[in-house]
Amino acid sequence: QVQLVESGGGLVQPGGSLRLSCATSVNIFKFYIMGWYRQAPGKQRELVASITTGDSADYADSVKGRFTISRDSTKNTVYLQMNSLKPEDTDVYYCNARHQLLSKYNYWGQGTQVTVSS
């Protein structure tokens, strides 16, 4: 069983930065695509950024140039560096691990709140 624990959320002013962390219980980066999603109340969860087993990153158009996803295999941790934050980035952010071949192995963290407000 894979466990994901997010941290790093909080309140930040517009234009500020935050770094989210997602610690995994085991080293899964060789087999799992890691992603960050976000969800506002009453809305569908949307993909923000993902990174493949081959280190290829992809981003939602709304965050390109501002957010960066990365991972540290030595720490079993995935990061989301968020710069130039906007009020519309306010959401609960979730870490996701999805097996690259077996879709039934799909795990979520508990979520961390990010609020961008002056």
Side-chain angles (χ1 to χ4, degrees):
Q1 184 75 7
V2 174
Q3 293 183 328
L4 308 175
V5 179
E6 300 104 333
S7 60
L11 173 64
V12 63
Q13 292 187 341
S17 298
L18 280 176
R19 188 177 78 160
L20 305 183
S21 300
C22 172
T24 67
S25 56
V26 293
N27 191 326
I28 58 174
F29 297 154
K30 286 185 179 179
F31 305 105
Y32 282 77
I33 298 168
M34 303 301 299
W36 285 96
Y37 288 71
R38 63 187 182 187
Q39 186 173 25
K43 292 190 176 181
Q44 203 165 9
R45 194 170 292 188
E46 64 172 359
L47 178 65
V48 176
S50 63
I51 185 166
T52 69
T53 56
D55 273 339
S56 176
D58 195 21
Y59 300 91
D61 288 342
S62 58
V63 307
K64 280 181 181 176
R66 301 188 297 122
F67 291 11
T68 303
I69 188 171
S70 63
R71 62 187 184 194
D72 186 338
S73 298
T74 65
K75 297 181 179 179
N76 294 343
T77 301
V78 179
Y79 303 99
L80 185 68
Q81 178 67 44
M82 305 186 294
N83 299 328
S84 303
L85 282 162
K86 305 174 181 180
E88 51 264 42
D89 293 319
T90 297
D91 270 325
V92 178
Y93 284 70
Y94 297 89
C95 181
N96 173 260
R98 176 170 57 87
H99 196 282
Q100 60 182 346
L101 296 177
L102 303 172
S103 59
K104 68 176 182 178
Y105 296 111
N106 189 36
Y107 304 97
W108 293 93
Q110 82 286 354
T112 185
Q113 176 71 48
V114 171
T115 302
V116 184
S117 175
S118 55

